[in-house]
Amino acid sequence: MSITVNIDPLTRIEGHLAIRIEVESNRVVNAFSSGEMFRGFEAILKGRDPLDAQQITQRICGVCPISHGTASILAQEIAYGVIPPKNGRLLRNLILGANFIQSHILHFYHLAALDFVDIAAITKYKGKDPVLRDLKAWVQSELSSNVIYPATPFLPRYSGEYIQSTELNIQGIKHYLDALDMRRLAHKMCAVFGGKLPHATTLLPGGVTEKVTARKIASLKSIIKELQAFIDNSYLSDVAEVALDFPEYFRIGKGCGNFLAYGVFPESADNSKKLFSSGVVIGEKLMAFDSTKITEDVRHSLFSSRSGLQPSEGQTVPSPHKKGAYSWIKAPRYNATVMEVGPLARIMVDYLKGKNRKVKDLVNGLLARLGKKPEDLVSTLGRHAARAIESKIVADKCAEWVEQLTPGQPVFRDFTIPETGRGMGLTEAPRGALGHWLEIRDYKISHYQCVVPTTWNCSPRDDRGNPGPVEQALTGTPIVDIKNPIEATRVVRSFDPCIACAVH
Ligand code: NFE
Ligand code: MG
C-alpha cells in the first residue's frame, strides 16, 4: 500500500509549488506537481500598445525578466520587420548573459546548496571572520529555540544526510555569502546597459536605447572578471564537491530523458548562429527543432480553453473548479512528447551536436574528474553540473562580446508598428526554452501567449495521461523517511522551478 506525502509548499524555489508523492516500500511510485495560483498576464496584454509587451512581460518574473523582455522583443521584431545593429545585438547578449549568471548563482547557492551543505556545521566554526561568527551565533540560537518557523532562511529544514566534512560545509556556507555579492555584481552588470534591474528599461525592438561608451565598457569588463573568477574558483568546484559526496544523485531524478532547446545568444545578424543552438533530443537521438510541433494540453490544468492548440492559436480561460484538473500550469508538449528544458537540455543538444568545442571539453573534463559517463548527466546532479558549466561558458563569452562593442556606432534601428502583424519570439531563459507568440490587430495586441520553461518542466499530466518532466523525475526516487522527504526536494530543486513564471 502506498503512503501519500504532500510537500506543500515546496520551499527554496520561486513561486508556489505543491508536490504530492505516493511512496511504496520507501520509493516514489507516483508524483503530482501543482502550480497553485493563476496570474493572467496573457489576458492583461490584450488590447495594449504592442510596445508595452516587453515591459509588462518582464513583470512575469524578477529572476528571469530579461528573457521575457527578449522573447517579447523578438516576436515584435518579426512583426515589424526590424533587426538590431551589431552593437544592439551584443548589448542584448550582455544584458541577458548577466541575467543568466545571476540566476544560476542564485539557484545553486541560495536555493539548492542547502539540500547538501549542513548549515548546522557553522556552530563548529572557530575562525575569526566576523560575518561567519555572527551567522554562527544566529544559527545556534535558532537551533536551540522552540520556534517552529525561525526567522532565518536556513531553518526549519528536513533532516537527512548532509555533507559530513565540517571544513567543506563551512566553505559551502562561506560561498553562500560570497554568492550574495556575486548576484549583486551580476545585477549591476545587467544594469550598466539595461538601465536598472530587475526589470530593464532599455530593451526595445530594434536594439537597445543605451549608448556604448568607453567608460561603460570598462565598468563591464571589471565586473565580468570578478564573476569569471567566482565561477572558475568556487561555483564549478563546489558543484564537483557535492557530486563527489552524493554520487547516487547521478542515478536519481533522471526524468523523461527528452530535451528541447530553442537556442540563445545570437552571434550573427539574422539569428542563425547562436552560442547555444536549438535542437530536440528524443530517446538520445538529436533532431532539428520545428516550432509548429509545440502545443499545450489542458486536460489536467485548471483551464476550460481548448486543449492541444499551438500557441499562435492558444487560449487561456481559467476554470478554478474544473474536475480532474490539479494545476494552474498547462502541459506543453513537443510532437505530443514530454520534454525537459533548461541548462541540461541546452548542454545535451550542443554536446550531441558536437560543434561547440567548449561544451564538449567542459563536460568531458568534469565527467572525467568525477569518474562519470555522459549518460550520467541525465540526473539530479547532471542538472547542477550543466548549470555551472553553462555559467562559465556565458561569462567567458560576455568577456568576448564586450570587446566587440564599438563606441559611437548605433545601438538601435527604427521601425513602425503595422496595423496588423504576427510574431513568434523564441529564446532561452536561465530555466529553459521560452516562447512568446504575438498578434497585432488595429495597432493593438489582439493575442499574446507565453510558453515558459517551468511550464514545460513542472507541467501536470497531458491529454494522454503522461506525467510531466518533474513528475517523471520523482518516480523511482528513494525516500528514507517519509517525514523528511529531502530526496524528493533535491530532485525537484535540480530543475530550478519558477512557478511565478510557470503560471504567468
Ligand atoms: Ni521566473 Fe523563468 C521560468 C526562467 S521564464 S524564472 O520558468 O529562467 O522564463
Ligand atoms: Mg501561456
Side-chain angles (χ1 to χ4, degrees):
M1 209 187 85
S2 69
I3 302 164
T4 299
V5 179
N6 287 305
I7 310 172
D8 180 10
L10 191 138
T11 58
R12 274 194 276 115
I13 60 160
E14 296 297 320
H16 308 286
L17 175 67
I19 292 290
R20 190 170 95 230
I21 48 176
E22 291 168 7
V23 182
E24 223 173 272
S25 309
N26 293 93
R27 213 159 270 280
V28 177
V29 291
N30 208 356
F32 298 85
S33 147
S34 311
E36 301 197 278
M37 67 185 290
F38 174 65
R39 298 183 71 204
F41 272 83
E42 290 155 343
I44 290 168
L45 284 153
K46 270 191 197 161
R48 301 234 176 208
D49 186 313
L51 283 179
D52 288 349
Q54 76 273 8
Q55 288 305 327
I56 291 177
T57 56
Q58 282 192 74
R59 269 72 186 170
I60 288 174
C61 187
V63 186
C64 67
I66 308 302
S67 304
H68 285 290
T70 303
S72 175
I73 281 169
L74 292 173
Q76 291 180 66
E77 282 173 349
I78 292 173
Y80 309 161
V82 63
I83 49 167
K86 187 177 173 196
N87 264 350
R89 169 169 52 81
L90 291 167
L91 287 181
R92 289 212 306 227
N93 281 354
L94 286 161
I95 296 169
L96 184 60
N99 197 209
F100 264 58
I101 296 167
Q102 180 277 132
S103 179
H104 286 358
I105 291 175
L106 158 76
H107 174 256
F108 182 67
Y109 285 98
H110 306 129
L111 302 178
L114 295 176
D115 287 343
F116 303 100
V117 172
D118 183 5
I119 185 71
I122 192 70
T123 57
K124 297 186 193 137
Y125 179 66
K126 297 209 169 54
K128 294 208 161 43
D129 183 317
V131 179
L132 289 178
R133 285 170 75 110
D134 274 359
L135 189 64
K136 174 181 174 175
W138 189 0
V139 171
Q140 247 162 358
S141 84
E142 296 293 356
L143 282 172
S144 59
S145 85
N146 292 325
V147 181
I148 296 173
Y149 295 108
T152 79
F154 309 122
L155 299 167
R157 60 170 187 173
Y158 287 140
S159 58
E161 290 274 322
Y162 288 90
I163 290 173
Q164 295 289 312
S165 148
T166 303
E167 202 179 318
L168 273 182
N169 280 317
I170 289 176
Q171 176 173 293
I173 294 164
K174 174 150 186 357
H175 291 173
Y176 177 108
L177 298 172
D178 293 346
L180 292 169
D181 281 337
M182 292 303 124
R183 284 193 61 217
R184 181 183 49 75
L185 261 188
H187 265 328
K188 195 169 159 188
M189 172 179 167
C190 220
V192 170
F193 287 106
K196 71 169 194 45
L197 251 290
H199 303 115
T201 48
T202 65
L203 300 172
L204 210 66
V208 296
T209 58
E210 192 66 29
K211 290 205 175 106
V212 176
T213 63
R215 223 185 71 190
K216 287 194 166 165
I217 291 177
S219 133
L220 222 57
K221 276 190 193 172
S222 77
I223 296 176
I224 294 169
K225 264 207 188 109
E226 270 195 73
L227 291 169
Q228 282 176 298
F230 179 78
I231 292 165
D232 288 347
N233 304 327
S234 299
Y235 189 2
L236 281 161
S237 42
D238 288 341
V239 168
E241 289 296 354
V242 167
L244 288 168
D245 261 48
F246 294 86
E248 66 276 24
Y249 280 88
F250 278 112
R251 292 188 308 274
I252 296 172
K254 295 191 95 55
C256 62
N258 304 324
F259 298 100
L260 168 69
Y262 300 157
V264 68
F265 299 117
E267 297 206 276
S268 63
D270 63 355
N271 254 342
S272 62
K273 196 172 166 286
K274 292 175 184 168
L275 173 59
F276 297 115
S277 37
S278 70
V280 175
V281 181
I282 298 180
E284 289 172 34
K285 250 189 81 191
L286 180 70
M287 286 169 251
F289 162 66
D290 172 0
S291 67
T292 64
K293 292 196 159 72
I294 300 168
T295 52
E296 287 193 302
D297 286 355
V298 294
R299 177 174 288 182
H300 298 279
S301 310
L302 294 156
F303 300 98
S304 60
S305 3
R306 252 183 72 197
S307 198
L309 294 173
Q310 289 188 23
S312 55
E313 309 299 331
Q315 306 162 357
T316 305
V317 184
S319 178
H321 307 295
K322 182 172 153 184
K323 286 224 164 69
Y326 61 93
S327 181
W328 285 106
I329 301 175
K330 292 184 183 178
R333 295 295 184 257
Y334 182 85
N335 206 15
T337 308
V338 180
M339 308 297 289
E340 174 174 343
V341 300
L344 180 59
R346 292 188 282 263
I347 294 289
M348 288 300 285
V349 164
D350 271 323
Y351 189 80
L352 291 176
K353 271 196 181 162
K355 285 193 188 140
N356 188 329
R357 264 243 75 83
K358 206 156 172 186
V359 167
K360 261 228 128 95
D361 291 351
L362 284 166
V363 168
N364 288 339
L366 190 70
L367 289 172
R369 182 172 167 192
L370 300 171
K372 294 290 163 197
K373 300 191 195 72
E375 55 267 32
D376 296 325
L377 273 181
V378 183
S379 63
T380 303
L381 273 177
R383 290 184 194 99
H384 290 297
R387 211 170 276 116
I389 286 171
E390 180 172 90
S391 301
K392 173 164 177 61
I393 294 170
V394 171
D396 289 355
K397 259 295 168 180
C398 284
E400 287 178 32
W401 290 326
V402 76
E403 296 287 353
Q404 294 164 21
L405 290 171
T406 322
Q409 289 299 304
V411 288
F412 169 76
R413 275 206 194 99
D414 208 356
F415 56 85
T416 46
I417 298 176
E419 188 178 343
T420 59
R422 272 172 174 263
M424 169 180 71
L426 300 182
T427 183
E428 295 276 333
R431 286 155 194 75
L434 171 67
H436 286 196
W437 282 258
L438 156 82
E439 195 174 341
I440 299 169
R441 269 193 218 154
D442 200 15
Y443 304 101
K444 295 276 191 285
I445 297 172
S446 60
H447 173 89
Y448 207 100
Q449 287 280 302
C450 313
V451 182
V452 180
T454 303
T455 316
W456 288 93
N457 285 339
C458 285
S459 64
R461 275 130 177 93
D462 58 30
D463 288 9
R464 292 152 298 283
N466 292 320
V470 162
E471 295 179 331
Q472 291 194 26
L474 280 164
T475 303
T477 299
I479 305 289
V480 172
D481 169 11
I482 54 162
K483 291 214 170 65
N484 289 283
I486 186 169
E487 301 90 342
T489 62
R490 285 179 182 140
V491 170
V492 177
R493 288 199 186 102
S494 72
F495 285 85
D496 191 2
C498 174
I499 309 305
C501 273
V503 300
H504 50 276

